[in-house]
Structure formats: C-alpha cells, structure tokens
Amino acid sequence: MAEVRPITLVGDPVLHSPCEPVTRFDGELATLVEEMFASMYAAEGVGLAANQIGVPLRVFIYDCPDAEGVSHKGVVVNPELELPSLGERRLDAGDEGCLSVPGQYAPLPRPDRATVRGFDVTGAPVTVEGTGLLARCLQHETDHLDGYLYIDRLPAKRRKQVLAAYEAHRAAQASAASAKADKASL
C-alpha cells in the first residue's frame, strides 16, 4: 500500500515557486504518483499536484467528474494548459477550494473547458480535455505547478478574507486537538 503523505499548506515555499520539469520516467516517478493518489484520497480531494506533498516536480493527478458527471482519473507529467480563445471562452463562476487551504472556498471564474497536454507516468504522450469540474481541476492543478494557489487569483480583499478564515479554522483545530490531548492524559 502506498504511503499517505501530509498535504503541504499555504505559506510553505514549495507551493509558491514554479516546479521543475520531470526528466526521468522511472520507478521513483511511479512511486510518487502512487503516493499522490493515496494522499489525495485520504484528504478527500479530486486533484493533487506534487508540490502539495512537498515534491517540486511538474506532476499532477486527478479523479473527478466532467460537466456530464462522467468520472475521469489520470496523471499528467509536464503539463501544458490550453484554454479556449477569448471569443470562444465561457466562464464558470463556481466555488473553488484547495487541499492546501483546507476548509475554505470562494467563487472563482474559470473557463468551462480546458485541455492539458503532457505525458503519463511511462513517458507516453497524453491529452486530457475537460469540461465542468474536470476543466476547473486541470487549471487549478497546473496553477499549482506554476507556483500559484487559487487564492492568488482572487481579488485582494476576498483573498484576505479567505486567509483570515483559514487561520481561524486552523487555530480552532489546534485548540480542539490540545483539549483532546489534555483529556487523554488524565
């Protein structure tokens, strides 16, 4: 069974710098991808970038539905994102969240279609075309590999609100964990 790694949280430098391209398609990469899937499922996510478990490589995974509710699962190494031209672009203004900013969501308009070209874990070329949540996921995960979180695309005031709510959520969790530990030691 693959190791479940902790999710890297907002503020960690690995999330705020562009990731390095993958140059070796080997057993280490395959193990990383297995650990990424195990970590994503443990965190109840639908997508995960390698830097979200502390590995600064251009790899992301996904397991989420498209606009028709059809589930898609895969890995993209060294992705290149393609979006519809401005004249053909329709925005989906749905809420977005992130495992690296747990418990927080905000409306973020993104194109409702996206295509990513890259490679699978063996180095074979792949193309993933997404609509709905899958399109949002492809854009979100590619952003991670470029050193951006979804909150970086929010207006400054909304970003501050999300981060303040995240810090309050985190403080409440720490307080609850401390109280639980005190009860356990009695």
Side-chain angles (χ1 to χ4, degrees):
M1 187 166 176
E3 176 185 352
V4 173
R5 295 194 192 186
I7 303 297
T8 306
L9 300 176
V10 62
D12 189 308
V14 74
L15 292 174
H16 304 283
S17 299
C19 293
E20 295 296 319
V22 171
T23 58
R24 294 184 335 187
F25 295 83
D26 57 12
E28 282 184 42
L29 179 61
T31 298
L32 171 64
V33 168
E34 289 175 10
E35 291 175 351
M36 288 173 67
F37 273 109
S39 303
M40 179 184 73
Y41 291 138
E44 300 180 3
V46 297
L48 188 76
N51 58 346
Q52 288 184 275
I53 59 168
V55 180
L57 290 175
R58 292 189 65 78
V59 180
F60 75 76
I61 60 166
Y62 58 93
D63 187 352
C64 67
D66 62 19
E68 287 76 41
V70 177
S71 185
H72 299 265
K73 178 181 176 181
V75 58
V76 183
V77 179
N78 297 335
E80 295 294 330
L81 179 66
E82 298 173 15
L83 299 173
S85 66
L86 290 177
E88 297 177 9
R89 191 175 293 183
R90 287 189 314 259
L91 294 180
D92 170 3
D95 280 357
E96 194 160 323
C98 181
L99 296 175
S100 293
V101 191
Q104 305 308 308
Y105 299 88
L108 179 62
R110 289 201 190 252
D112 67 351
R113 292 180 294 131
T115 301
V116 171
R117 298 183 196 288
F119 302 91
D120 70 11
V121 73
T122 68
V126 295
T127 299
V128 182
E129 295 180 8
T131 59
L133 182 59
L134 180 57
R136 182 175 294 277
C137 180
L138 297 174
Q139 295 168 74
H140 179 106
E141 301 310 332
T142 301
D143 273 356
H144 272 301
L145 302 180
D146 292 336
Y148 298 103
L149 298 172
Y150 86 98
I151 59 173
D152 296 328
R153 293 191 176 275
L154 296 174
K157 183 177 179 181
R158 183 65 178 126
R159 183 178 192 276
K160 286 180 184 180
Q161 291 170 338
V162 169
L163 287 172
Y166 163 72
E167 289 300 333
H169 174 76
R170 195 169 163 186
Q173 283 185 320
S175 178
S178 177
K180 184 177 179 180
D182 288 345
K183 286 181 182 179
S185 64
L186 295 177

